[in-house]
Amino acid sequence: MSEPRLVEVRRNVLKQNDVIARALREQFRAAGVFVVSLVSSPGSGKTMFLEKTLSQLQPHYRVAALVGDLATENDAVRLARSKAPVKQITTGTLCHLEAAMVQNALQEWDLHQLDFLFIENVGNLVCPSSYDLGENLRLVLMSVTEGEDKPLKYPTIFNSADVAVVTKNELAEAVEFDWNAARTSIQSVRPGMQIFRLSAKTGEGMEEYLAFLAQQLAEQRATTAQI
Amino acid sequence: MHELSIAMSIVDAALDESQRRGVQVSAVHLRLGALSGVVKDALLFSYEVACQDTPLQGSRLIVEDIPVVVFCPRCQEVRTLSSVQLFACPECGTPTMDVRQGKELEVFALEIEEEEEVQG
């Protein structure tokens, strides 16, 4: 005969990922590189936005990117046009990046030679929210064509992000995008979140966002220097 | 859909604990925060799949839903959110990001079958 007994174990299911993410964060800090991850739904304009970010930062900073994609290498090919080092992480059937994939992908790179590293996650607004990649800043993108209530439909990922970028602003008028409604829904799921509204295509609003990144890098280095 | 990989991590953790203790597990108790990014139904289904051909096959996954609890800076109290779509104090409406609970994804306990010791 047997009778059930309850044994408390308390194990964080994502501990393995969190341990690697912590090690990565420390590695990034020591190398003085500022790491930005990008999450969004498919088709929000993430690759175009990243392409412009890389090419506009490049005259002033050393930049590189890791790109997660399910099957193709198209994004890496597009981003390579910016002349920045770009590496593809093909995830196969996996819908998100994990810290170990980032760690593997970075093995051949000398992080000390970089100022900014961008990590483009797989286009998905659900799964990436659970996985810490060791990034300094998580940026969530939504395009004006996706609807103002996107944050309310995917509150977890918006809540886990640090900054929101509303893209494809050149289409805002055509789709009658309600900026106030979008801002309200973002602030509802993530109070105090900084929001950039821009068009990677026309360049409108890019300057303010790039200045913000530069400031983040400067602040991180100032903090590291104090330690 | 990343619940299958989460389920496999749960099975790994539970197996590791049960093997260390030399016990047979009949159920795994999981604490699942509303902000964990994991869908409960998908996880329950994935758990069965992940258990196949392991010593955990046939075991149950018992999920305890953990709501989001925040600290309201105005009331100076912890408050439970009724929805993850509104990060504001349900009493006074003050927005807050001071999350105290709700991100859990934790194997909390194992229900084990205890074999009675055979004397002799």
Side-chain angles (χ1 to χ4, degrees):
Chain A
M1 280 300 292
S2 62
E3 58 180 55
R5 186 165 70 92
L6 212 57
V7 181
E8 197 174 299
V9 291
R10 307 202 72 142
R11 292 228 341 201
N12 175 5
V13 175
L14 293 175
K15 188 172 174 202
Q16 213 177 349
N17 187 79
D18 290 348
V19 167
I20 298 171
R22 264 203 298 277
L24 280 174
R25 191 166 282 118
E26 175 51 31
Q27 201 184 334
F28 297 151
R29 192 194 61 78
V33 57
F34 191 79
V35 181
V36 181
S37 78
L38 276 66
V39 290
S40 81
S41 54
S44 66
K46 209 163 49 251
T47 307
M48 164 79 124
F49 170 70
L50 184 53
E51 189 181 337
K52 292 295 164 78
T53 301
L54 294 175
S55 60
Q56 291 180 29
L57 281 176
Q58 218 179 13
H60 317 284
Y61 297 99
R62 299 164 300 172
V63 295
L66 294 178
V67 192
D69 204 342
L70 291 172
T72 72
E73 297 208 346
N74 295 350
D75 286 0
V77 171
R78 270 178 72 186
L79 290 171
R81 293 194 302 226
S82 70
K83 304 278 190 288
V86 175
K87 196 165 190 178
Q88 181 90 33
I89 305 176
T90 308
T91 58
T93 56
L94 208 58
C95 51
H96 60 271
L97 291 179
E98 296 186 7
M101 297 172 176
V102 172
Q103 195 176 42
N104 285 338
L106 289 176
Q107 267 170 10
E108 295 149 32
W109 281 0
D110 180 4
L111 292 173
H112 288 89
Q113 301 303 316
L114 291 177
D115 298 310
F116 286 106
L117 171 68
F118 293 86
I119 305 174
E120 182 185 327
N121 215 317
V122 181
N124 182 330
L125 279 178
V126 182
C127 312
S129 61
S130 307
Y131 297 88
D132 184 1
L133 301 178
E135 70 267 61
N136 301 103
L137 192 81
R138 185 181 283 186
L139 219 144
V140 61
L141 270 73
M142 65 178 268
S143 64
V144 297
T145 57
E146 290 174 67
E148 298 83 0
D149 59 351
K150 200 90 187 197
L152 299 175
K153 289 179 178 167
Y154 299 93
T156 306
I157 195 109
F158 276 84
N159 186 270
S160 78
D162 304 294
V163 169
V165 175
V166 179
T167 58
K168 302 191 186 177
N169 196 40
E170 76 277 8
L171 300 174
E173 208 173 320
V175 297
E176 296 180 2
F177 183 71
D178 185 341
W179 170 242
N180 281 331
R183 195 166 42 200
T184 305
S185 53
I186 292 171
Q187 296 297 340
S188 174
V189 298
R190 180 45 165 114
M193 190 185 229
Q194 188 158 1
I195 309 170
F196 294 96
R197 182 181 180 180
L198 51 83
S199 165
K201 194 171 184 179
T202 67
E204 176 201 355
M206 286 293 285
E207 207 171 309
E208 192 190 343
Y209 148 75
L210 294 171
F212 167 78
L213 287 184
Q215 186 199 341
Q216 294 289 310
L217 174 69
E219 280 176 18
Q220 189 212 36
R221 290 194 172 160
T223 323
T224 308
Q226 277 169 13
I227 295 171
Chain B
M1 161 84 184
H2 64 309
E3 279 75 8
L4 184 57
S5 75
I6 299 275
M8 286 160 75
S9 301
I10 293 172
V11 170
D12 284 346
L15 275 179
D16 181 48
E17 292 290 339
S18 68
Q19 279 161 5
R20 277 203 294 151
R21 291 174 160 83
V23 292
Q24 182 70 33
V25 174
S26 57
V28 175
H29 289 245
L30 185 81
R31 287 163 60 89
L32 186 64
L35 282 178
S36 65
V38 173
V39 180
K40 186 174 165 180
D41 287 341
L43 184 65
L44 289 169
F45 173 75
S46 301
Y47 181 78
E48 269 183 51
V49 178
C51 282
Q52 273 169 26
D53 303 320
T54 78
L56 283 179
Q57 187 160 349
S59 67
R60 289 170 303 139
L61 182 66
I62 298 167
V63 178
E64 182 191 350
D65 293 301
I66 309 290
V68 179
V69 173
V70 295
F71 182 77
C72 173
R74 189 163 163 201
C75 303
Q76 292 288 309
E77 292 279 352
V78 288
R79 304 277 192 210
T80 302
L81 297 186
S82 54
S83 156
V84 290
Q85 293 173 325
L86 183 58
F87 278 74
C89 174
E91 300 293 327
C92 73
T94 304
T96 174
M97 267 299 289
D98 189 349
V99 176
R100 298 292 171 91
Q101 194 183 285
K103 294 182 175 173
E104 294 79 359
L105 184 51
E106 180 189 54
V107 174
F108 184 73
L110 301 176
E111 226 169 271
I112 59 175
E113 302 286 342
E114 203 140 39
E115 301 291 331
E116 273 182 22
E117 291 211 14
V118 182
Q119 300 292 327

